[in-house]
């Protein structure tokens, strides 16, 4: 009888620990989601002028053929306010996307590491980032559809408040997801390369450059590693995703009816080169700042900076 009572008590303690772990995990993912929302929304908002120029260079390359001349043309023809077109859609859309992307990435990374114990770290990084990005782009797509139209069509709408109703009225729900497939084609490779490059860069920096464990470094040093790894990840991801970014802009502004037609009109070489300098100027600092703000929020909440698995997962995947 006493043994049975003892077993029930032990079972109750184990269940209590399990519930506590679940609450801790839920809190961790919530912080990651909020951190992703704030970091992505803020950084994308700051770069709105560059994004306006990029979209116009993609849609009308003959008129907007360079960065300095492009800014000058926008300023002369549409005024200084034109450089901030689509800011609300950009802030809200990329904020929601960032929350899904970072929060779900941490969730899927932990989930897949527990399930796919015989697979390499790189495979888990790829799969986790791809899974998170699928949901993140579904959340982003309606905002992106309004943003691109507002930025490239001067008289389309002023922002989200009148842009959303106009898209729905003229094209229905399908209008919001017209570019979802190209958006996946752009963001899935970018996200997979970006997260994987970031993770491996963090490992490389600590092992080869800093030559200390993360736990032995100060918070400032850890955030410095985050920035260096973040810039590397952003630059590499930009090169991979540039063709799909040009296709997205072409489809949303009705320069083409489908992906194949967009590829033919833009040209194969132009898919990789058009607006690339602007995107590198935007994406490199944006990704760096995103990771810095994201990890700063985690640090302020008593969490470690990003990179790697939890210790129990690292031990299970040591051979990988």
């Amino acid at each position: 009888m006493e043994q049975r009572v003892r077993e029930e008590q032990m079972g109750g303690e184990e269940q209590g620990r399990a519930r506590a772990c679940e609450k801790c995990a839920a809190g961790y993912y919530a912080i990651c989601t909020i951190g992703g929302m704030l970091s992505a929304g803020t950084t994308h908002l700051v770069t709105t002028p560059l994004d306006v120029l990029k979209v116009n260079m993609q849609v009308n390359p003959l008129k907007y053929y360079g960065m300095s001349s492009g800014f000058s043309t926008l300023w002369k023809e549409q005024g200084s306010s034109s450089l901030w077109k689509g800011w609300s859609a950009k802030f809200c859309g990329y904020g929601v996307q960032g929350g899904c992307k970072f929060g779900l990435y941490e969730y899927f990374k932990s989930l897949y590491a527990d399930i796919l114990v015989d697979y390499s770290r790189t495979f888990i990084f790829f799969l986790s980032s791809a899974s998170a990005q699928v949901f993140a782009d579904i959340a982003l797509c309606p905002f992106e559809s309004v943003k691109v139209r507002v930025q490239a069509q001067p008289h389309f709408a002023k922002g989200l408040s009148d842009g959303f109703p106009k898209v729905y009225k003229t094209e229905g729900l399908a209008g919001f997801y017209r570019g979802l497939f190209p958006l996946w084609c752009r963001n899935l490779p970018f996200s997979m390369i970006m997260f994987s490059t970031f993770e491996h860069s963090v490992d490389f920096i600590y092992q080869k450059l800093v030559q200390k464990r993360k736990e032995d470094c100060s918070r400032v040093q850890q955030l410095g590693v985050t920035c260096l790894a973040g810039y590397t990840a952003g630059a590499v991801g930009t090169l991979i995703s540039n063709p799909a970014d040009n296709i997205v802009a072409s489809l949303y502004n009705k320069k083409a009816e489908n992906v194949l037609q967009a590829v033919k009109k833009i040209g194969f070489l132009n898919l990789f080169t058009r607006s690339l300098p602007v995107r590198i100027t935007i994406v490199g600092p944006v990704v760096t700042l995103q990771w810095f703000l994201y990890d700063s929020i985690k640090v302020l909440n008593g969490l470690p900076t990003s990179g790697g698995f939890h210790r129990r997962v690292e031990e299970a995947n040591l051979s990988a």
Side-chain angles (χ1 to χ4, degrees):
M1 185 68 178
E2 292 180 359
Q3 183 177 357
R4 182 178 178 182
V5 171
R6 195 179 299 113
E7 288 176 352
E8 289 178 352
Q9 289 176 343
M10 291 177 63
E13 289 176 359
E14 290 178 358
Q15 289 178 0
R17 284 196 296 269
R19 283 194 294 269
C21 288
E22 287 176 1
K23 289 180 180 178
C24 289
Y28 173 73
Y29 297 134
I31 291 171
C32 291
T33 300
I34 294 170
M37 290 181 68
L38 294 176
S39 62
T42 303
T43 51
H44 279 281
L45 175 63
V46 171
T47 59
T48 298
L50 285 169
D51 190 53
V52 172
L53 175 61
K54 181 207 73 171
V55 170
N56 281 278
M57 288 178 70
Q58 292 171 332
V59 175
N60 196 346
L62 296 178
K63 185 175 182 180
Y64 303 96
Y65 53 86
M67 291 184 65
S68 59
S69 61
F71 275 125
S72 178
T73 301
L74 283 169
W75 189 289
K76 288 179 181 177
E77 294 187 356
Q78 302 180 39
S80 59
S81 61
S82 66
L83 299 178
W84 293 96
K85 281 186 173 182
W87 70 267
S88 58
K90 194 168 175 64
F91 177 71
C92 296
Y94 282 92
V96 172
Q97 187 212 39
C100 293
K101 181 168 65 175
F102 282 95
L104 288 176
Y105 173 73
E106 296 289 354
Y107 170 76
F108 283 123
K109 184 171 70 169
S110 178
L111 176 66
Y112 293 145
D114 287 341
I115 297 174
L116 307 174
V117 293
D118 296 326
Y119 287 80
S120 69
R121 286 159 52 92
T122 301
F123 180 79
I124 292 174
F125 297 150
F126 277 161
L127 188 59
S128 302
S129 55
S131 299
Q133 193 66 52
V134 167
F135 294 101
D137 283 348
I138 291 174
L140 168 66
C141 207
F143 297 94
E144 183 78 355
S145 68
V146 175
K147 178 191 77 74
V148 173
R149 288 175 171 91
V150 168
Q151 290 176 339
Q153 300 174 31
H155 305 294
F156 177 77
K158 293 181 179 180
L160 281 179
S161 59
D162 54 341
F164 263 120
K166 192 167 185 178
V167 172
Y168 181 76
K169 184 178 180 180
T170 56
E171 301 181 44
L173 286 176
F176 293 114
Y177 290 95
R178 179 185 177 91
L180 180 59
F181 179 72
L183 204 61
W184 276 334
C185 291
R186 180 188 74 184
N187 289 346
L188 280 171
F190 175 83
S191 185
M192 293 167 70
I193 295 296
M194 190 269 287
F195 276 104
S196 180
T197 302
F198 176 84
E199 297 274 8
H200 287 298
S201 295
V202 167
D203 287 344
F204 177 82
I205 293 168
Y206 280 117
Q207 292 176 14
K208 303 298 183 181
L209 301 182
V210 180
Q211 295 183 347
K212 289 196 298 186
R213 298 187 312 162
K214 181 196 292 188
E215 294 80 5
D216 298 327
C217 296
S218 67
R219 293 301 192 194
V220 174
Q221 289 174 321
Q222 290 181 24
L223 290 173
V225 171
T226 292
C227 289
L228 183 56
Y231 188 84
T232 304
V236 174
T238 301
L239 295 173
I240 301 298
S241 63
N242 201 61
D245 190 63
N246 280 298
I247 292 172
V248 168
S250 179
L251 288 176
Y252 274 137
N253 286 283
K254 299 183 178 179
K255 298 292 182 179
E257 294 298 323
N258 53 58
V259 174
L260 290 177
Q261 190 178 97
V263 172
K264 289 179 181 179
K265 285 192 172 185
I266 297 171
F268 184 76
L269 182 61
N270 287 334
L271 284 173
F272 292 90
T273 59
R274 181 178 292 177
S275 74
L276 182 61
V278 185
R279 288 199 72 225
I280 290 177
T281 304
I282 296 174
V283 177
V286 164
V287 172
T288 305
L289 190 55
Q290 271 185 27
W291 279 109
F292 174 74
L293 293 175
Y294 175 65
D295 271 0
S296 296
I297 291 170
K298 290 173 71 175
V299 167
L300 289 173
N301 284 276
L303 298 174
T305 55
S306 299
F309 299 98
H310 296 297
R311 185 165 301 279
R312 62 183 179 83
V313 177
E314 287 179 343
E315 291 172 354
N317 290 277
L318 192 60
S319 60

